Amino acid sequence: MSTMIKSRLVRNLAAAALVAVAAVAGAGSARADDSVNTGYFGGVAIMGYDTVAYFTDGKAVKGSEEFTYEWLGTPWHFASKKHQEMFMSEPVKYAPQYGGYCAGEVVGGGVTVNVDPEAFKIIDGKLYLIYDVGNADDFAAHAAENIPKADANWPKVAANLELDKYH
């Protein structure tokens, strides 16, 4: 079995397990707006990470409730007042593509809530979050093919999210 197939199998099993736990716990959907990835239990965009920091610091930085801004019906956390203000002035510039869902999964027409905040790529000034670091490297290596596919698939994926088809 190839590494890619094993990776997808593990990812899908982990996602199914988390969905089962959420169902048993009665958690339901934790998203304020399904067009923005808030993870399974957080209710905060991109699991509370500061989306501006990916651009300014070049790394994943956890945001703070102290610096929160609501956009698209979802709270976004930032590491500093400056980052909060930068996002408020240009949210589309800093927001991750595909609502912060795994860009690699959107390429295939699906979606996974699971992303690793450390697994990201900035390509042509846009932020892409991915399931894991290895897949982020692969996504970037094939960006010329992957991004047009994901862009074409995103409207259908987003519509399915709105219909609650994926969870």
Side-chain angles (χ1 to χ4, degrees), residues 30 32 36-39 41-49 65 68 74-77:
V36 177
N37 186 0
T38 60
F41 302 106
V44 178
I46 60 172
M47 296 178 284
Y49 280 78
E65 286 184 32
T68 300
T74 305
W76 296 70
H77 289 176

Side-chain angles (χ1 to χ4, degrees), residues 82-164:
K82 179 180 180 183
H83 285 190
Q84 178 189 30
E85 290 170 350
M86 289 170 71
F87 183 83
M88 289 169 62
S89 70
E90 296 182 273
V92 173
K93 175 180 177 178
Y94 296 107
Q97 299 303 293
Y98 321 122
Y101 290 95
C102 176
E105 289 296 313
V106 176
V107 169
V111 70
T112 181
V113 171
N114 292 331
V115 292
D116 176 353
E118 303 287 336
F120 73 95
K121 294 294 177 183
I122 296 176
I123 302 168
D124 294 329
K126 295 180 180 180
L127 173 63
Y128 297 88
L129 298 176
I130 313 289
Y131 177 75
D132 65 27
V133 174
N135 285 329
D137 291 339
D138 185 63
F139 180 86
H142 301 97
E145 303 153 26
N146 288 335
I147 293 172
K149 286 180 185 175
D151 287 348
N153 288 338
W154 179 240
K156 183 178 178 184
V157 170
N160 285 338
L161 285 167
E162 204 167 298
L163 294 172
D164 210 29

